Amino acid sequence: MSDDAKSLAPSRRQFLTGAAAAGAGAVAAGAARAAAPDPLITEVQDWASGLGEGVDATPYGLPIKYESDVVRRNVEWLTADTISSINFTPIHALDGTITPQGCAFERHHSGAIELRKEDYRLMINGLVGTPLVFTYEDLERFPRENRVYFCECAANSGMEWAGAQLNGAQFTHGMIHNMEYSGVSLRTLLEEAGVKPEGKWVYVEGADASSNGRSIPLEKAMDDVLVAFKANGEALRKEHGYPVRLVVPGWEGNMWIKWLRRVEGVDQPVESREGTSKYTDTLANGISRKWTWEMDAKSVVTSPSPQAPIKHGAGPLVITGLAWSGRGAVTGVDVSLDGGKNWTEARLAAPGTDKALTRFYLDINWDGSEMLLQSRAKDSSGYVQPTKAQLREVRGLNSIYHNNAIQTWWVKANGEAENVEVS
Ligand SMILES: Nc1nc2c(c(=O)[nH]1)N[C@H]1C(S)=C(S)[C@@H](COP(=O)(O)O)O[C@H]1N2
Ligand SMILES: [Mo]
């Protein structure tokens, strides 16, 4: 330590102690508590007395080992194997809105395949003037767009229909990710092929064994759908559809075809032609809803939550979470500390954008008593996220998909949190 630093040290310590004693502002008092001399401040540490790692030690950087618990997790009993399975984004441990690809949830029906750019082909056929086949390089020559969207599996929160079940925001709400995509608008490619007006639908499929074929109304295909090859600035990861995936903003994840290989102009949904029905919601009377493509407005408090308990006791507390809507932008989020009796408007980190995650914060001075934490999203269509009771009234208990109900965390006085329901 230099002489200058030494002479500064005591006065800085005095400042912190003084601030704490005077209670100068809630955050300063609680968050910056200067106690007895702290060796981390007063002693020279190992990391300051030796040299660090040189450049090139890790040509492609990974998270530091201390963050090794911030990973995707699987719920073993959900599926028979990991090939046709799902895992969950660790949303309880992330902040901001962009999901790093490395911890963004995966959902495969027949595993993640390895497909080289050189072997990549995209065919557009069916009800078009000129059937076309594009290579990866061909796609790179069309005008490009950059847009941020969330992708939510229709089954997200599906295990919570009958009652509070999984203990953590990662497991109750982690079938979602939010990335910045770079690619070509599907409209551009369909126009290139001269899509015919009688083609009211497109049938899209992937190159994997499952092919995950889905029909999309032409109106949506010509609106905001992207044929994407980059996510968060870099190539798509294998598990997210390298080298090319479909991005279907606001619509359920199963339509976001990975390893996209074909777009066929069709006059009716192929599912109807085949008599198959995928992703339906069975109501209490046994009748099923189908073509429920849009993901309704939804939100969740990510911290505090069961996997992110409060460790610091009473005083300043940052409550934070995510909100989104497949029908537009999030316009506001309310937070309740008492199970929905009273609501306070949270602060949006940035104004909500179309079909993308929005981060919200509520900064409180926690009195240390237990809370029933909830969040409620509102979107630009005027829709307000429903309670579980309201949703069950309309949809019954037999559904799996499209559970966008308000989530409750019971935060106890010791800071631990549990997944509960309030009546
Ligand atoms: N080709 C193909 N595309 C697919 C799937 C698949 O199994 N094969 N799964 C779908 C489902 S159900 C979801 S929720 C999303 C998940 O995308 P992700 O794995 O990038 O999170 O991809 C969709 N696209
Ligand atoms: Mo999904």
Side-chain angles (χ1 to χ4, degrees), residues 124-338:
I124 301 197
N125 69 333
L127 296 171
V128 295
T130 321
L132 295 173
V133 173
F134 301 97
T135 62
Y136 184 86
E137 282 184 343
D138 292 337
L139 294 180
E140 284 186 309
R141 299 176 65 186
F142 286 96
R144 226 168 285 168
E145 297 187 23
N146 281 206
R147 285 189 259 132
V148 176
Y149 293 118
F150 75 81
C151 171
E152 182 182 18
C153 179
N156 199 19
S157 316
M159 283 77 73
E160 304 293 309
W161 269 105
Q165 179 154 223
L166 298 174
N167 219 19
Q170 176 168 21
F171 303 110
T172 56
H173 290 74
M175 290 184 197
I176 193 163
H177 51 62
N178 191 65
M179 303 190 197
E180 184 198 43
Y181 295 98
S182 310
V184 178
S185 106
L186 178 57
R187 181 194 189 105
T188 303
L189 301 181
L190 285 170
E191 283 174 349
E192 187 78 10
V195 68
K196 292 185 176 160
E198 62 265 36
K200 293 267 183 296
W201 297 74
V202 292
Y203 185 68
V204 287
E205 60 182 19
D208 53 330
S210 81
S211 87
N212 199 74
R214 290 289 180 278
S215 298
I216 301 177
L218 188 61
E219 205 186 341
K220 177 69 174 176
M222 296 293 277
D223 181 15
D224 54 4
V225 175
L226 284 178
V227 173
F229 31 84
K230 295 276 166 78
N232 302 339
E234 63 179 353
L236 286 164
R237 296 284 167 85
K238 171 177 78 177
E239 59 269 37
H240 301 301
Y242 180 93
V244 176
R245 92 170 302 165
L246 205 61
V247 168
V248 190
W251 288 27
E252 49 187 31
N254 67 75
M255 310 184 92
W256 292 50
I257 310 302
K258 301 189 279 192
W259 316 290
L260 180 69
R261 72 176 279 272
R262 192 159 73 109
V263 179
E264 183 189 2
V266 290
D267 58 0
Q268 60 167 317
V270 171
E271 291 88 338
S272 311
R273 200 162 73 196
E274 290 173 347
T276 55
S277 64
K278 285 165 180 150
Y279 295 95
T280 56
D281 305 310
T282 306
L283 303 176
N285 60 8
I287 292 175
S288 293
R289 304 194 315 160
K290 69 170 191 173
W291 306 145
T292 48
W293 300 302
E294 279 166 314
M295 301 308 295
D296 290 311
K298 185 165 166 181
S299 68
V300 65
V301 171
T302 52
S303 178
S305 65
Q307 298 160 287
I310 306 171
K311 294 199 178 124
H312 53 60
L317 171 68
V318 173
I319 296 171
T320 187
L322 293 166
W324 60 96
S325 168
R327 297 181 192 272
V330 168
T331 50
V333 179
D334 302 315
V335 170
S336 176
L337 311 182
D338 56 11

Side-chain angles (χ1 to χ4, degrees), residues 371-390:
M371 299 183 277
L372 288 169
L373 257 188
Q374 299 184 333
S375 64
R376 179 175 71 185
K378 296 174 280 192
D379 75 13
S380 48
S381 74
Y383 178 93
V384 181
Q385 187 184 356
T387 62
K388 269 192 163 179
Q390 287 167 336

